[in-house]
Amino acid sequence: MDVLSLLKKDHRSVEGMLDKAMKCEPEDNTLHDLAAQIEEALIVHATIEEKFFYPLLRKRAEETEDTVDVFEAYTEHDLLKRLIALLQSGRQPDEKFKAEVQVLTESVKHHVKEEESTIFSLARKVMAKDELDELGQKMEKAKQRLTAAAAPLARARKATAPTRARKTARR
């Protein structure tokens, strides 16, 4: 799978989880579980983009505007990481938690829209088809490794979820 298809697939997956989260009531324990899944998916996605995709684009960008676009994508990732950190507090889902998920949703959707237009266009301009394919395969392998490494952490986090959330989930 080429890199752009891989990233689009990730985008659709995260957007689906975010849409489900937005339909949850603030105190719904499903919101907490979805937030953990979203967090893992976004961290893995951002990590592979920042390690493989963005540096290559930044190096090959010939116009100043293209370089600015790549740095904007990095900056948006930094913002998303800060929003994710808010969700990692382990607190009970409530109105504030739901609001943070909502802001994360809006930020992710903005980033995806910009990336799929501006950044993907730049990639098509500066990379050959075989390079897009090769990078996609490389990033897919890295994604699999990161996802496997994140699984034990996700289980541990779920086990230490707020007590009230665990009790409510058992009912």
Side-chain angles (χ1 to χ4, degrees):
M1 178 181 314
D2 73 83
V3 65
L4 304 181
S5 297
L6 172 70
L7 296 176
K8 276 187 182 182
K9 183 178 170 188
D10 283 357
H11 292 164
R12 298 298 90 75
S13 174
V14 169
E15 285 175 335
M17 288 185 276
L18 289 165
D19 290 343
K20 284 181 189 175
M22 292 311 302
K23 292 176 184 172
C24 292
E25 294 299 320
E27 305 223 355
D28 186 343
N29 290 313
T30 305
L31 181 60
H32 195 273
D33 293 340
L34 280 167
Q37 292 171 28
I38 292 163
E39 168 197 328
E40 179 183 330
L42 286 175
I43 288 171
V44 168
H45 179 84
T47 300
I48 63 172
E49 277 187 327
E50 292 173 8
K51 183 174 181 177
F52 300 102
F53 190 52
Y54 291 170
L56 179 65
L57 294 179
R58 190 179 76 225
K59 187 166 74 173
R60 293 198 183 171
E62 295 175 7
E63 298 175 26
T64 302
E65 187 175 321
D66 291 337
T67 304
V68 170
D69 289 339
V70 174
F71 280 116
E72 180 181 354
Y74 275 115
T75 303
E76 288 173 349
H77 275 201
D78 287 342
L79 174 61
L80 296 176
K81 290 173 191 173
R82 289 182 183 155
L83 292 169
I84 289 167
L86 293 174
L87 300 178
Q88 293 175 328
S89 68
R91 71 182 188 281
Q92 178 70 25
D94 58 10
E95 291 82 4
K96 183 177 180 196
F97 189 88
K98 173 75 185 248
E100 292 164 354
V101 171
Q102 185 170 342
V103 172
L104 178 65
T105 298
E106 293 165 359
S107 296
V108 166
K109 289 186 176 196
H110 167 81
H111 174 71
V112 165
K113 182 179 177 185
E114 294 238 333
E115 184 171 86
E116 288 186 5
S117 61
T118 309
I119 298 298
F120 284 18
S121 293
L122 174 61
R124 286 185 200 99
K125 183 169 77 172
V126 300
M127 296 175 70
K129 171 83 172 101
D130 61 326
E131 289 179 302
L132 293 169
D133 290 337
E134 185 180 313
L135 184 58
Q137 292 170 13
K138 189 177 198 177
M139 288 175 64
E140 178 64 35
K141 287 177 186 172
K143 179 182 169 186
Q144 290 170 357
R145 285 191 305 273
L146 287 170
T147 301
L153 295 173
R155 283 193 299 274
R157 193 173 306 120
K158 189 171 185 173
T160 60
T163 306
R164 188 169 142 214
R166 287 197 311 264
K167 286 180 183 174
T168 305
R170 286 187 213 140
R171 290 183 190 163

